[in-house]
Amino acid sequence: SQQGEEDPQALSIQEGENATMNCSYKTSINNLQWYRQNSGRGLVHLILIRSNEREKHSGRLRVTLDTSKKSSSLLITASRAADTASYFCATWSGGGKLIFGQGTELSVKP
Amino acid sequence: DTAVSQTPKYLVTQMGNDKSIKCEQNLGHDTMYWYKQDSKKFLKIMFSYNNKELIINETVPNRFSPKSPDKAHLNLHINSLELGDSAVYFCASSQAGGDQPQHFGDGTRLSIL
């Protein structure tokens, strides 16, 4: 069964606002990764957080991980129109494969 | 100098036909993958190869046959195409290990008429 569930399914904000996306999963994990997919393109890796980490930053991205709640969040600060894309969380549980959530569609209006 | 390239980008064909999708990566990775993304954007792994050896085969119908002639190439052949095969197929590559980011191609959009 699918590991990751994302919330919200769609998010529409104005440029300059922050965007927060959440991901929940069901089983214990080794790490959780976030990917971005622009329309008509492949997925691009954004950030990886290990199960023993609680927070990680990369530029305007901040990821948190709460293993007790089996959830993660991705925060994009000061969003830009170019951030418009679908965002996916993916979990690695040691079984040799990444399991993806169904994604959040982010629309940033100029 | 595209990192992971797939061909063709679009594939429109009739039910019952056989088709192939090719994938090449120039990143020096030793692991390659095929994923299927459906119309709701749900992305599911189909196959994974490490150093030309099949590692993962995710309950995919045997009409789908991957082939890895070398570490840099992973092709996907599909026999007797069905309507339900319509989807976007993504190739990806990474170094071995679950803590390695995966690099995706831009996908092959397969439409079955």
Side-chain angles (χ1 to χ4, degrees), chain B residues 27-81:
Chain B
L27 297 167
H29 291 158
D30 51 16
T31 306
M32 294 185 74
Y33 313 83
W34 278 113
Y35 286 89
K36 179 181 180 180
Q37 187 174 46
D38 65 20
S39 57
K40 295 183 180 178
K41 293 199 171 180
F42 176 46
L43 192 73
K44 191 172 191 298
I45 190 164
M46 300 171 68
F47 302 102
S48 152
Y49 271 75
N50 180 264
N51 280 320
K52 303 192 299 174
E53 184 181 337
L54 180 66
I55 302 298
I56 291 173
N57 182 342
E58 276 290 294
T59 60
V60 178
N62 57 16
R63 297 183 296 103
F64 290 78
S65 49
K67 198 161 283 187
S68 182
D70 56 57
K71 272 179 24 172
H73 295 85
L74 180 61
N75 303 323
L76 183 65
H77 187 77
I78 315 170
N79 288 327
S80 303
L81 281 157

Side-chain angles (χ1 to χ4, degrees), chain A residues 11-74:
Chain A
L11 181 59
S12 181
I13 58 174
Q14 295 293 130
E15 223 171 12
E17 294 180 341
N18 295 342
T20 300
M21 290 159 264
N22 303 296
C23 168
S24 60
Y25 55 91
K26 294 175 183 162
T27 63
S28 60
I29 60 172
N30 292 16
N31 67 63
L32 186 144
Q33 303 177 32
W34 285 90
Y35 286 79
R36 184 187 75 230
Q37 184 180 29
N38 289 87
S39 180
R41 304 297 302 271
L43 281 73
V44 174
H45 182 264
L46 294 175
I47 196 165
L48 179 151
I49 187 165
R50 293 184 170 80
S51 60
N52 61 355
E53 297 175 311
R54 291 296 166 256
E55 188 170 315
K56 210 159 180 184
H57 296 255
S58 176
R60 293 184 296 113
L61 305 181
R62 174 179 157 240
V63 169
T64 60
L65 179 65
D66 187 336
T67 51
S68 67
K69 294 181 180 177
K70 292 187 169 56
S71 68
S72 174
S73 67
L74 171 68

